[in-house]
Amino acid sequence: MPKIEVTTKQSPAKKKKAPAQSSASSQTSPEPQVETIPATEEAGSASDAIRADAQRAPASISVLTREEITDAGIGSVQDAGRRIPNAIISDQGSPRFTVNAIRGIGSTVRDDYFNNSLGVYIDGVPATTAEFSRRLGDLESVEVLRGPQGTLFGPNTPAGVVNITSRAPTDIFAAEVQGTIGNNGQRETSAFLSGPIAGKALTGRMFFDYVERDGFTDYASSGKSIDDLEAATGSGSIQFRPNERLTATISGSLEHTDQGAYAYQPFDVYKRRVVDITPPNEEVRDSQALAANVSYDFGAVKLRSISGYRAYDVQSAQDLSYNQMLASFGGGRATSDEDGEQFSQELRLTGRFDPVFNWVAGAFYQNTTFDYAYLFDVPAFGGASLTTSDYERRELAAYGEGTLTVARNLDLTAGVRVTQERHKIETGVGFAGEETYTLVTPKFAAAYHLDSDRQIYVSATRGARSGGFNRLSSSALGEEYDPESLWSYEAGLKTEWFARTLTFNAAIFYIDWTDQQIRTQVAPGSVLIDNAGRSYSEGFELEASWRPMQGLELSGFLGFTHGEYEKYVDRFGVDLAGNTLVNTPELTAGLAAQYRWPIANSPFVGLVRGEYLYTGDQYFDAENRLEQEGYGLVNLRAGIETDTFSAVVFARNLFDQDYRVYGYRDFEGSLLASDISVAGESRLVGVTATWRY
């Protein structure tokens, strides 16, 4: 009979290695946890090691292991974000445009591609913002680091970092095939194959994923869905590890996503989920990625090189008659085409002078280009209007961070990163501009270890977001906006109890920032960026997990954030001081319970899981007119499993809760002004079957 696991699981019979014990002096590692996992590591221990490192770090970090991702049915970065306190990670009805905020730090409308508030890293390589909505794929873990990460991850991460680690090749043969079928046309399949190519020194891994489903909002004319989805992803990696010192991994991926988009509805009638527009509303994204990750351990010093290349092409088409005022003038259509390329290179040295000092130092280079064309065609307004721009961003940075252990239990950390960014733009109307920004992002922290399982810490960290030129607004095309900067102050407690079966972490924070960048969507495909004078946010977070008995796991989180604009006069001259920050619910919370038990007289283990995820009241606009009231989602999963097979039935949004994920004022300041929203996903039910070898 399969063995019941008290902690996490890969399959019911796979025993996990416990995290290694560490002294207080080694609790803090300044290096981001994106190391390649050796191929010889036992299945499941890689995720355990990542979680243990996160628990030791004096910072607010939430970790979703591979087992938790599987158990909860998490399929995207947005799904992961719902399980993180004080985090909003969603989109605006388009797979390439994301709306992100952590602790109130985020984007008013959507993140642009070169000055994000949130960073997403895949095996140490920054992902383009156009890929933030991608499916998770063949992952080992997802870490969400809350608060500015400007020292080690660079500027443009003032809200935090989503750090994704892929599963490494194994030196024994392993394979898995999974399929899902359900309502709303759900059809999904994925498979991986991993094993040795030339003994333990050379191993490889391949993965494929395909998904299709109907959408959640329909065309009035045909009854067919607007926001349907068809996506295919393939990835692979080869790892060379001839000895314990050298590890070299080359990985790559391809993605094709064909998704219905822009299922915009009037703000107050979003529950109808029917729009009178002419199909197709569509967005097609093709992306490619290639990375090389090489590390060599010299003994006292470890050298790591991370090289990355990413490219994408996105084409979209949209009917504009969702705006009823515009429809009364005969409507119109908009199309866009965007190409992006990114190359990055990082060199990092880490070392330790036992037993009192460890350090990391490195250099980073990145070059990113975007070519954008947007065609706005409304016959009543004189016909087609084309907006084009070519944008280039180059980044050079050097950084260092060190931790000194004083009196064995006290760790003092200081670090700094100096970044120079050059931004260049050329537009189709003859404007050309170039600007250089120098951004300095220091960090200071102190952690006191009560014992090996409990610590308290304080930190002060500067975050920044680079300036640039408006490229998504025809009315302000080429206009420059200023960099954004903030200081984040945090104090926290991280503890484990009862032989590490109970984990309880808490943090409080205060964030003070100036020249906050405000994004306003003034028309379809048109976003204007300007700066607010001063803003703040403050709050707290609680996270806990408990394994009170064999097979039973309980977990929960609670986040509270309150943030306001202290000094902000918008482009219409309206004073918005005292208004609540956009996309900042005061309360986020979640509870989950999961139980596994052996089914008598059978080879099966039973599984049942339930979770409740709550998002509080929030505003979609700085004027605080467009409000989404708080809502809760209930998810259930139940099934059976063995070492080689599992079958799970699931229900997401069990009670079919209606809610909005995005809203904005369309054609603000004109006779066509209308309040627009995008509805969240309705109920999905289905069954997933998995075969493992």
Side-chain angles (χ1 to χ4, degrees):
M1 180 176 298
K3 180 176 292 186
I4 302 295
E5 292 306 318
V6 175
T7 56
T8 54
K9 66 102 189 169
Q10 179 191 12
S11 65
K14 298 292 185 181
K15 179 85 171 175
K16 306 296 178 296
K17 292 193 292 188
Q21 300 289 327
S22 301
S23 65
S25 62
S26 65
Q27 294 287 309
T28 305
S29 173
E31 186 173 7
Q33 297 303 315
V34 292
E35 289 292 341
T36 303
I37 305 300
T40 55
E41 187 134 20
E42 180 182 346
S45 63
S47 293
D48 293 340
I50 291 172
R51 178 183 290 282
D53 287 339
Q55 183 64 21
R56 289 193 294 266
S60 295
I61 305 174
S62 299
V63 179
L64 297 171
T65 66
R66 179 196 347 152
E67 294 79 13
E68 291 167 328
I69 291 169
T70 300
D71 286 344
I74 298 171
S76 66
V77 173
Q78 285 81 357
D79 285 346
R82 286 195 176 277
R83 292 157 174 87
I84 307 301
N86 289 328
I88 293 292
I89 303 176
S90 61
D91 63 62
Q92 63 163 64
S94 158
R96 65 168 161 165
F97 291 134
T98 58
V99 179
N100 311 308
I102 296 179
R103 295 178 171 179
I105 309 170
S107 53
T108 319
V109 178
R110 65 193 189 196
D111 269 337
D112 209 338
Y113 300 135
F114 41 83
N115 57 344
N116 310 323
S117 58
L118 178 72
V120 175
Y121 282 71
I122 303 174
D123 298 323
V125 177
T128 65
T129 311
E131 302 173 275
F132 277 19
S133 62
R134 63 177 289 154
R135 288 173 59 79
L136 289 180
D138 193 27
L139 297 189
E140 187 64 51
S141 67
V142 176
E143 299 167 90
V144 180
L145 294 75
R146 299 187 295 279
Q149 306 296 323
T151 303
L152 296 179
F153 288 96
N156 303 315
T157 59
V161 166
V162 177
N163 192 33
I164 297 172
T165 302
S166 300
R167 295 171 71 177
T170 56
D171 59 13
I172 59 173
F173 180 77
E176 179 180 284
V177 177
Q178 184 176 94
T180 297
I181 188 170
N183 73 324
N184 219 50
Q186 293 178 84
R187 302 291 187 274
E188 300 181 25
T189 185
S190 65
F192 79 77
L193 180 66
S194 179
I197 298 174
K200 294 185 177 182
L202 187 64
T203 56
R205 189 179 193 94
M206 296 185 298
F207 173 79
F208 174 77
D209 175 75
Y210 175 82
V211 58
E212 64 176 48
R213 61 154 175 79
D214 298 332
F216 306 98
T217 302
D218 297 334
Y219 293 105
S221 58
S222 65
K224 295 182 178 180
S225 59
I226 300 173
D227 47 340
D228 53 359
L229 170 68
E230 182 179 17
T233 304
S235 63
S237 61
I238 295 176
Q239 186 174 96
F240 178 59
R241 197 165 188 262
N243 52 55
E244 294 295 321
R245 291 181 176 270
L246 174 65
T247 301
T249 304
I250 297 177
S251 59
S253 66
L254 298 171
E255 181 203 28
H256 174 79
T257 299
D258 188 342
Q259 181 169 350
Y262 310 107
Y264 291 168
Q265 302 178 80
F267 193 84
D268 292 329
V269 295
Y270 72 98
K271 296 180 182 180
R272 290 177 53 192
R273 297 183 180 270
V274 175
V275 186
D276 189 10
I277 58 176
T278 302
N281 266 25
E282 187 177 32
E283 192 161 272
V284 179
R285 179 180 68 205
D286 290 288
S287 64
Q288 309 86 40
L290 185 65
N293 196 315
V294 181
S295 63
Y296 190 84
D297 190 345
F298 291 94
V301 176
K302 186 175 183 179
L303 172 65
R304 187 173 182 204
S305 169
I306 307 171
S307 307
Y309 172 81
R310 309 191 76 89
Y312 70 88
D313 174 74
V314 180
Q315 299 180 358
S316 70
Q318 178 185 13
D319 187 285
L320 303 179
S321 293
Y322 68 87
N323 183 311
Q324 295 177 353
M325 294 296 294
L326 185 58
S328 68
F329 286 92
R333 290 193 68 81
T335 60
S336 68
D337 189 356
E338 178 162 6
D339 298 312
E341 267 191 320
Q342 173 183 291
F343 172 76
S344 63
Q345 174 63 54
E346 181 172 5
L347 293 175
R348 182 186 305 156
L349 288 170
T350 58
R352 180 174 183 85
F353 300 116
D354 285 329
V356 297
F357 187 69
N358 55 15
W359 57 272
V360 57
F364 180 80
Y365 169 81
Q366 180 174 304
N367 191 78
T368 309
T369 59
F370 309 97
D371 300 327
Y372 181 69
Y374 180 76
L375 182 66
F376 182 77
D377 187 3
V378 179
F381 295 169
S385 172
L386 179 65
T387 301
T388 63
S389 63
D390 296 334
Y391 204 107
E392 180 181 7
R393 171 184 172 272
R394 188 194 67 183
E395 176 183 342
L396 287 170
Y399 62 88
E401 184 174 306
T403 298
L404 176 67
T405 300
V406 181
R408 300 192 61 177
N409 293 326
L410 177 63
D411 292 334
L412 303 177
T413 299
V416 66
R417 186 184 188 108
V418 179
T419 302
Q420 185 184 78
E421 292 189 9
R422 186 190 69 184
H423 291 243
K424 295 175 63 177
I425 187 173
E426 295 183 4
T427 73
V429 296
F431 175 83
E434 180 176 340
E435 189 60 64
T436 299
Y437 306 97
T438 299
L439 306 172
V440 180
T441 50
K443 172 186 176 181
F444 306 96
Y448 184 78
H449 300 272
L450 305 172
D451 53 41
S452 61
D453 290 336
R454 285 164 283 274
Q455 66 168 306
I456 55 177
Y457 68 90
V458 294
S459 66
T461 308
R462 189 173 191 266
R465 185 153 50 164
S466 59
F469 299 95
N470 276 284
R471 72 182 188 98
L472 296 176
S473 172
S474 57
S475 61
L477 188 63
E479 287 187 10
E480 185 181 357
Y481 52 89
D482 296 329
E484 170 186 301
S485 62
L486 61 86
W487 275 98
S488 175
Y489 306 96
E490 180 176 336
L493 170 72
K494 306 185 82 168
T495 65
E496 292 180 294
W497 306 82
F498 310 125
R500 298 185 176 177
T501 60
L502 172 64
T503 299
F504 176 78
N505 299 333
I508 59 174
F509 60 88
Y510 179 82
I511 299 167
D512 180 20
W513 72 94
T514 58
D515 291 328
Q516 181 187 7
Q517 293 173 9
I518 306 295
R519 289 157 167 76
T520 304
Q521 184 163 353
V522 295
S526 186
V527 175
L528 177 68
I529 305 175
D530 59 10
N531 296 90
R534 195 175 190 92
S535 306
Y536 79 92
S537 70
E538 58 190 1
F540 67 84
E541 294 153 354
L542 306 175
E543 291 183 285
S545 62
W546 186 30
R547 303 185 300 276
M549 57 179 287
Q550 187 175 16
L552 178 62
E553 300 178 26
L554 306 173
S555 62
F557 67 86
L558 176 66
F560 173 84
T561 301
H562 177 74
E564 293 182 358
Y565 302 104
E566 293 183 289
K567 185 188 297 184
Y568 176 36
V569 178
D570 72 7
R571 63 193 183 94
F572 299 109
V574 179
D575 188 352
L576 301 178
N579 281 15
T580 299
L581 297 179
V582 172
N583 301 320
T584 305
E586 283 203 337
L587 186 65
T588 54
L591 291 172
Q594 180 171 291
Y595 184 58
R596 280 188 169 86
W597 74 97
I599 299 176
N601 302 317
S602 80
F604 296 106
V605 167
L607 165 69
V608 61
R609 177 186 178 90
E611 61 181 357
Y612 176 76
L613 304 172
Y614 179 79
T615 302
D617 298 352
Q618 62 178 305
Y619 293 104
F620 294 122
D621 63 327
E623 294 79 16
N624 289 180
R625 293 177 53 257
L626 305 179
E627 182 180 8
Q628 169 61 51
E629 296 180 349
Y631 61 91
L633 304 178
V634 175
N635 303 323
L636 294 180
R637 297 173 68 85
I640 57 173
E641 52 191 16
T642 69
D643 291 350
T644 59
F645 173 79
S646 67
V648 177
V649 296
F650 64 87
R652 298 178 56 179
N653 191 4
L654 176 66
F655 298 110
D656 206 18
Q657 172 70 50
D658 288 308
Y659 60 99
R660 308 176 188 90
V661 294
Y662 178 68
Y664 80 103
R665 181 73 167 168
D666 199 25
F667 291 103
E668 186 174 12
S670 75
L671 295 176
L672 299 177
S674 300
D675 295 335
I676 302 299
S677 66
V678 175
E681 293 185 358
S682 52
R683 178 171 50 224
L684 290 173
V685 298
V687 59
T688 298
T690 306
W691 172 84
R692 306 179 189 88
Y693 177 83

